[in-house]
């Protein structure tokens, strides 16, 4: 087995700093808790195997986001995954960050690319150029996904009477 350049303490600290973010990205993409937990665990196993130092905290975070996305995509494409989870399962998602579960529920119903882009932009605070670099996309593509996601969310929220005043 290859020797890691990180000590157990460093890996534990990295885990504590980023587990919520990695888990939520995996949950957004996998759409169920057990698979999201497995994917997040695999991401941190890969951290232990990654033998290069991170340049800075932003490189560390970007590496984890990219690795989480790739791990989820690989798991979703794997031959043993014969079915997608039902839409009703989305109602059982456990979100830790937002106070408003209804908005999260609507975000979780978006297509994968819009869902991940909106999560990274609004909940992790990345700008479109940073997201484009992490996801290996053009900034214009990321801006288009944000616009499409916002439009879809706005329509869904208006249909459900969310944010409107009245009795």
């Amino acid at each position: 087995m290859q020797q890691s350049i990180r000590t157990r303490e460093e890996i534990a600290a990295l885990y504590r700093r980023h587990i919520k973010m990695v888990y939520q990205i995996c949950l957004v993409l996998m759409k169920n808790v057990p698979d999201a937990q497995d994917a997040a665990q695999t991401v941190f196993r890969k951290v232990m195997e990654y033998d290069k130092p991170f340049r800075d905290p932003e490189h560390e975070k970007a590496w984890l986001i990219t690795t989480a996305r790739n791990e989820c995509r690989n798991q979703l494409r794997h031959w043993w995954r014969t079915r997608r989870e039902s839409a009703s399962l989305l109602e059982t998602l456990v979100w830790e960050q937002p106070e408003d579960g209804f908005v999260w529920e609507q975000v979780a119903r978006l297509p994968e690319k819009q869902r991940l882009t909106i999560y990274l932009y609004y909940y992790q605070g990345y700008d479109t150029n940073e997201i484009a670099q992490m996801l290996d996309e053009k900034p214009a593509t990321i801006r288009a996904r944000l616009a499409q996601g916002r439009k879809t969310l706005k329509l869904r929220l208006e249909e459900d009477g969310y944010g409107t005043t009245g009795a």
Side-chain angles (χ1 to χ4, degrees), residues 27-146:
L27 187 58
V28 163
L29 296 173
M30 300 302 289
K31 297 185 183 180
N32 71 70
V33 170
D35 288 344
Q37 290 171 336
D38 288 346
Q41 181 180 11
T42 301
V43 168
F44 284 98
R45 180 186 51 78
K46 289 180 180 188
V47 167
M48 290 187 276
E49 296 169 353
Y50 186 66
D51 62 353
K52 297 176 185 164
F54 295 114
R55 290 187 306 270
D56 54 41
E58 280 307 308
H59 176 236
E60 175 182 279
K61 195 171 178 182
W63 187 91
L64 287 165
I65 289 168
T66 301
T67 303
R69 182 204 54 181
N70 291 342
E71 178 59 29
C72 291
R73 283 186 175 173
N74 289 342
Q75 285 189 21
L76 289 168
R77 283 194 290 246
H78 199 275
W79 64 266
W80 51 259
R81 184 175 278 283
T82 58
R83 64 177 179 84
R84 298 287 292 199
E85 297 301 331
S86 67
S88 64
L89 187 61
L90 291 176
E91 296 173 16
T92 65
L93 291 177
V94 178
W95 300 103
E96 297 174 15
Q97 218 169 326
E99 291 75 34
D100 188 349
F102 180 74
V103 174
W104 261 115
E105 188 178 305
Q106 299 308 313
V107 170
R109 291 178 49 208
L110 292 172
E112 176 189 320
K113 290 180 179 181
Q114 290 176 13
R115 207 169 48 233
L116 183 57
T117 303
I118 284 178
Y119 175 78
L120 292 173
Y121 186 81
Y122 287 106
Y123 295 96
Q124 289 300 315
Y126 286 102
D127 66 35
T128 55
N129 291 328
E130 292 169 324
I131 296 169
Q133 186 176 7
M134 276 186 259
L135 302 182
D136 197 27
E137 299 278 358
K138 294 179 180 175
T141 302
I142 299 303
R143 288 190 293 275
R145 284 184 193 153
L146 280 172

